[in-house]
Amino acid sequence: DGLAGIADNRGRLLLAATLQVATAMGAVGIALALYPAIRRHYPTLGVSSVAFRGVEATFHAVAALGLMVLVGLSHPGAGLLASDSAMALGALEIARNAATYVISVIAFAIGSMLYYVAMYRARLVPRWLAGWLGDWREQAILVTAGGVCVLSDDFALRGAGQLLALPIALQEIVLAAWLLVRGLRHDGG
């Protein structure tokens, strides 16, 4: 039903937009918090990881804005629900939002893997924590493939995409808990 379906779920879209903004802020916060420690050992990895997390944050913010545009287009008071141009704009916005999601996932995958490489090499966290999923390139490929699969219309493929993202999600949670409780090792060992 296009915009009519969106109109029926405005609250969910606004919640999704709010979560996208929170994710963008989290990406920036992580970048700023880890940059000094990473830069000390690997300046290029530090700058690169901040750049990719910045790209991730930007695309999450763009996605949030897009969701708010869809909510505005679907507002019954706007009189656009039956308009062909509004329907076309809504379809275009949905497609753009999907592409934005993939780009933010790719930026996340690369940015976080750069952190893990630096933390592993500099021994800022235990090696088992920084490298528990194996080679960082394989992790980035899995996360990116998962992000692309989630966009599929095929329910099984979407489920597979979520399963591919599960290991990195668990690693991110364990790393966050570790950093809150123990912090980074600054002695390099």
Side-chain angles (χ1 to χ4, degrees):
D1 292 328
L3 293 176
I6 291 170
D8 294 339
N9 293 292
R10 277 194 303 268
R12 290 175 58 188
L13 277 140
L14 289 173
L15 175 62
T18 302
L19 292 174
Q20 287 278 10
V21 169
T23 301
M25 291 170 41
V28 170
I30 290 167
L32 295 176
L34 291 178
Y35 176 71
I38 302 295
R39 178 193 65 202
R40 187 175 309 123
H41 298 280
Y42 297 100
T44 303
L45 284 176
V47 169
S48 299
S49 57
V50 167
F52 278 104
R53 295 310 290 256
V55 169
E56 175 194 357
T58 300
F59 278 89
H60 280 301
V62 167
L65 181 61
L67 291 174
M68 291 186 285
V69 165
L70 285 171
V71 169
L73 285 173
S74 70
H75 193 276
L80 296 173
L81 285 177
S83 162
D84 287 341
S85 60
M87 294 296 278
L89 185 58
L92 182 64
E93 187 56 37
I94 289 169
R96 193 233 17 99
N97 203 358
T100 299
Y101 173 76
V102 171
I103 293 168
S104 68
V105 167
I106 291 169
F108 161 77
I110 295 169
S112 64
M113 295 314 121
L114 291 172
Y115 284 134
Y116 285 118
V117 167
M119 285 189 264
Y120 184 87
R121 289 181 181 169
R123 298 179 185 237
L124 294 173
V125 296
R127 287 190 161 211
W128 65 264
L129 180 55
W132 78 344
L133 294 178
D135 185 80
W136 64 272
R137 290 168 288 234
E138 293 167 4
Q139 293 179 49
I141 290 168
L142 284 177
V143 171
T144 302
V148 173
C149 288
V150 168
L151 295 175
S152 172
D153 289 335
D154 183 337
F155 183 74
L157 196 55
R158 281 197 318 248
Q162 291 173 344
L163 285 175
L164 288 173
L166 206 56
I168 191 68
L170 183 58
Q171 184 171 8
E172 291 280 303
I173 291 167
V174 172
L175 177 65
W178 180 275
L179 292 175
L180 288 171
V181 173
R182 304 282 301 268
L184 292 171
R185 294 178 181 167
H186 293 288
D187 59 2

